[in-house]
Amino acid sequence: MSELYYPEQTSTGYFLTRIAEGLTDAFDVQVICGKPSYSERGVVTRRREDRNGTTIHRMRATHFNKDRLVLRALNALTLAFTATVFALRHFQRGDRMLVVTNPPTLPPILGLIARFKGVSSVLLVHDVYPEVLVATKMMRSDGTAFSLASAFFNRTLAGFDRIAVLGRDMQALIKRKLRAIGADRPVEIIPNWGDIDEIASIDRTANPFAIENGLADKVVIQFSGNIGRTHDIALLLEVAKRVEDLTEVVFLFVGYGGQAASVVKHKAANILYLPRQPRDRLNQMLACSNLTVIAFKDAMKGVSVPSRMYNVMAAGVPIAAVAEADAEVSLTITENRAGWHIAPGDADALERLVRDIATPAGRSEAARRGQNARAALSRGYTLPHVLDQYRALLSDSEGRLER
């Protein structure tokens, strides 16, 4: 169960689609989701559709502008209502349910229905609530609202038989939240993956995307994907301003989200903004860079793991991970020498790195670390590896845990 699913190409929609279709060799897979409302908003889809071995059931819900928080919340509530009706009508004892945390309205009620119906349940955590609301300045960590929301979502976690998370920092946070209420549930790490067969390094001089956008002879610093509230876009814009004297350096922003407008209105000569690119251009776009920056705001450790890093690694591009040192993205990059770690908000360190990469020696080192990134991806972050973990997790969930 997921709000986002095919034909959505946002990260959650893409990953949940590939997981569901990859499990059809072991299970009868039924998908309960919303209609396209993000990257493919407006695309006409059928309420029920058979695709690649799965049966898709699309729920009715409102489809207001997701960038307005009140309207986004209304979308999530109406989806939760129709999904609840569907679950009460169709879930049967012995079924196995996997539900993702986005939107946060789905897990609480579906966890209860699973217990009532005798369905074994797995919660897949993409974002941790309400901590993600604190990181985006939508809630104060010292307020009553946070305390109430935290207690509610901690209980939601305990309502599932098993929990899957995307990284080590997230695993530690979820275990702390369970201990806070005296609950004990298995919390397993199953990362996302990169499309190693579809994405590879491309020589810049032969890269159509780089050539079309005048980047073939530039030093390209890229930020791509969701330009959302959890990312420190202001940090990149500040560093771009600081290095305007380096005329060969271009900061490339590609994507959409709540902070895209702040990039668009920035008229600096060394900033290029492009809208989200079609998936068939993803390889060209990622491979056109000397460095990709994944910049989180402070307090994001354990709250979210950036799925974008895996395809960047597949493209053979090093990553500057702006995050706490023990965040999953930082650990992955430093352990594999696949880029550099930078403390949150450290504009001086990011500026030094950009200036270094603008030198021939710096570009050579960046290329070496990009090669390390692709090698690391091939060892442990591929779709077959991840599907094996989901098959094992769902097979183990046949018997519900003692409560």
Side-chain angles (χ1 to χ4, degrees):
M1 302 196 70
S2 171
E3 176 187 16
L4 303 177
Y5 194 79
Y6 172 85
E8 287 285 3
Q9 291 297 314
T10 55
S11 59
T12 297
Y14 173 77
F15 284 115
L16 267 293
T17 300
R18 297 296 297 274
I19 290 168
E21 293 178 355
L23 293 174
T24 56
D25 60 346
F27 304 100
D28 170 18
V29 180
Q30 307 284 320
V31 178
I32 299 93
C33 62
K35 292 187 176 182
S37 57
Y38 278 59
S39 65
E40 306 304 315
R41 182 178 180 182
V43 173
V44 177
T45 54
R46 296 193 297 273
R47 290 193 63 188
R48 186 182 185 280
E49 177 181 358
D50 294 321
R51 183 178 188 272
N52 293 343
T54 69
T55 300
I56 306 170
H57 308 271
R58 297 189 176 93
M59 303 293 101
R60 294 184 185 275
T62 57
H63 292 89
F64 297 121
N65 183 355
K66 72 175 185 64
D67 291 329
R68 296 186 61 183
L69 296 178
V70 173
L71 298 181
R72 185 172 180 173
L74 184 57
N75 293 344
L77 288 170
T78 55
L79 176 65
F81 174 77
T82 54
T84 295
V85 173
F86 184 93
L88 288 170
R89 291 180 59 191
H90 296 284
F91 280 15
Q92 299 180 21
R93 181 172 296 276
D95 286 347
R96 308 170 197 188
M97 176 186 74
L98 185 148
V99 57
V100 71
T101 49
N102 299 335
T105 51
L106 283 178
I109 187 64
L110 291 176
L112 289 173
I113 293 173
R115 296 181 69 176
F116 174 70
K117 288 275 193 172
V119 172
S120 63
S121 57
V122 175
L123 178 65
L124 173 56
V125 181
H126 276 190
D127 291 302
V128 180
Y129 290 90
E131 284 77 3
V132 70
L133 302 178
V134 174
T136 54
K137 309 300 183 185
M138 296 168 59
M139 183 180 287
R140 291 167 54 96
S141 61
D142 58 353
T144 301
F146 176 83
S147 296
L148 292 173
S150 186
F152 177 75
F153 282 104
N154 290 358
R155 290 292 175 187
T156 295
L157 293 172
F160 285 79
D161 296 318
R162 286 171 172 80
I163 300 170
V165 298
L166 301 177
R168 288 162 282 186
D169 55 345
M170 187 178 285
Q171 182 188 52
L173 177 57
I174 294 298
K175 286 185 174 182
R176 287 199 303 271
K177 291 170 75 67
L178 287 168
R179 285 196 299 269
I181 58 171
D184 183 20
R185 296 287 180 272
V187 183
E188 301 188 29
I189 299 173
I190 305 182
N192 283 325
W193 67 89
D195 293 312
I196 197 166
D197 296 326
E198 300 176 15
I199 297 177
S201 178
I202 303 175
D203 186 294
R204 188 87 60 83
T205 60
N207 184 331
F209 182 90
I211 294 169
E212 291 170 17
N213 290 287
L215 301 172
D217 60 348
K218 298 292 185 179
V219 175
V220 180
I221 312 299
Q222 183 172 153
F223 183 98
S224 56
N226 177 30
I227 309 177
R229 295 175 177 85
T230 60
H231 300 286
D232 195 349
I233 302 304
L235 176 71
L236 277 82
L237 295 176
E238 178 183 345
V239 173
K241 183 175 180 61
R242 290 187 183 189
V243 300
E244 283 181 318
D245 58 301
L246 301 177
T247 57
E248 70 273 30
V249 173
V250 173
F251 282 74
L252 172 65
F253 292 84
V254 185
Y256 67 99
Q259 294 195 80
S262 65
V263 178
V264 172
K265 72 179 183 181
H266 232 74
K267 303 300 183 182
N270 63 349
I271 291 177
L272 173 63
Y273 170 78
L274 297 173
R276 177 183 173 272
Q277 299 295 296
R279 187 158 188 89
D280 60 9
R281 303 215 73 183
L282 180 63
N283 190 177
Q284 298 174 18
M285 180 197 77
L286 294 176
C288 82
S289 301
N290 299 91
L291 176 73
T292 287
V293 180
I294 297 177
F296 277 124
K297 292 182 177 179
D298 201 5
M300 280 295 293
K301 183 182 71 173
V303 175
S304 184
V305 176
S307 59
R308 70 188 72 184
M309 74 171 165
Y310 301 109
N311 277 337
V312 174
M313 293 168 69
V317 174
I319 294 171
V322 183
E324 289 93 335
D326 52 350
E328 182 65 29
V329 60
S330 303
L331 293 171
T332 301
I333 297 310
T334 55
E335 289 169 352
N336 295 288
R337 289 188 61 80
W340 293 266
H341 165 252
I342 293 174
D346 193 342
D348 293 339
L350 183 57
E351 179 187 356
R352 287 194 298 270
L353 178 59
V354 171
R355 289 188 179 278
D356 182 58
I357 290 177
T359 68
R363 286 194 293 277
S364 295
E365 178 62 20
R368 282 192 292 271
R369 297 195 183 208
Q371 292 170 358
N372 293 343
R374 183 169 172 85
L377 183 91
S378 66
R379 291 193 298 267
Y381 302 102
T382 64
L383 178 58
H385 178 262
V386 169
L387 287 176
D388 284 344
Q389 293 176 275
Y390 275 107
R391 289 189 194 97
L393 177 67
L394 290 166
S395 295
D396 288 345
S397 68
E398 184 172 5
R400 303 182 72 235
L401 298 180
E402 294 295 329
R403 297 185 184 277

